[in-house]
Amino acid sequence: MSTPPSDRTRVKRYHWLANYDHDTIAAILDAVPHCSIGYVVDGKPFVTPTMHWREGDRVYWHGSAASRMINAIEGAEVCLTASIVDGLVMARSAFNYNINHRSVMVFGRPEKVTDPAEKEAHLRTFVNRLIAGQWERLRPMLPKELKATTILSMRFDEASAKIRTGHPEDEAEDYGFQVWAGVIPVRQQVLDPVADPRNLPDVKLPPEALAFRF
């Protein structure tokens, strides 16, 4: 554990699983390409799933310039969360059932990227981080597409991670109870690429796509 950067980032439930280390938080953000953005519109809560990527100490995400999320969160407080399930923890009681997981919660005020060249550079980073060199293989982005896309980012200085590994943590008296306990590992699997039937006949799958992993 390290020191929580603010009171609202302090993990209270299972506090011993908390981690506030910058590199740990960055590694979790890098390990999963999707997150959820929590925000408020007219006093009502919304959570929007989206794809994200990290550059240095900032986390970025994009959306339609006309989307409700983009219009609502500019200059407002948001909460970004990302999580990875690593296993189902089967305990000797329902109360102690759990999951092995890695999760991150980030608080902050997003900043909009407004310079077109900077927007395009961030989108290139996003695409090429998924499939190396893919941006250069794609049809160039049109000005109207760039205009219709909004990119937001915020620092993850005010963030916390929660990480659980290992076997069930049962009550001492329950270890004598006659029931199987343990962990069922969970992994996200990447399967072989499936070609679009409308691909041109001489188009080849880039080898970098075969190397894609979360």
Side-chain angles (χ1 to χ4, degrees), residues 31 34-35 39 43 50 62 74 77 90 128-129 138 213-214:
H34 51 84
C35 67
Y39 54 101
T50 187
H62 73 285
E74 186 177 2
E77 289 275 352
M90 297 177 62
N128 283 345
R129 190 158 293 177
L138 297 175
R213 296 291 184 274
F214 284 131

Side-chain angles (χ1 to χ4, degrees), residues 130-183:
L130 292 170
I131 306 290
Q134 187 68 3
W135 180 270
E136 289 69 28
R137 288 186 283 267
L138 297 175
R139 186 264 288 159
M141 178 170 269
L142 301 175
K144 66 178 182 180
E145 295 172 333
L146 193 61
K147 184 178 180 180
T149 304
T150 296
I151 298 177
L152 295 161
S153 80
M154 65 182 180
R155 295 176 62 90
F156 53 95
D157 295 333
E158 192 179 4
S160 62
K162 203 171 181 181
I163 302 170
R164 191 199 189 281
T165 60
H167 284 289
E169 297 176 357
D170 279 303
E171 312 305 324
E173 60 272 19
D174 287 343
Y175 283 94
F177 193 80
Q178 191 71 22
V179 65
W180 190 92
V183 177

Side-chain angles (χ1 to χ4, degrees), residues 37-48 68:
I37 310 295
Y39 54 101
V40 175
V41 178
D42 297 329
K44 297 180 176 62
F46 289 84
V47 177
T48 299
R68 174 171 55 195

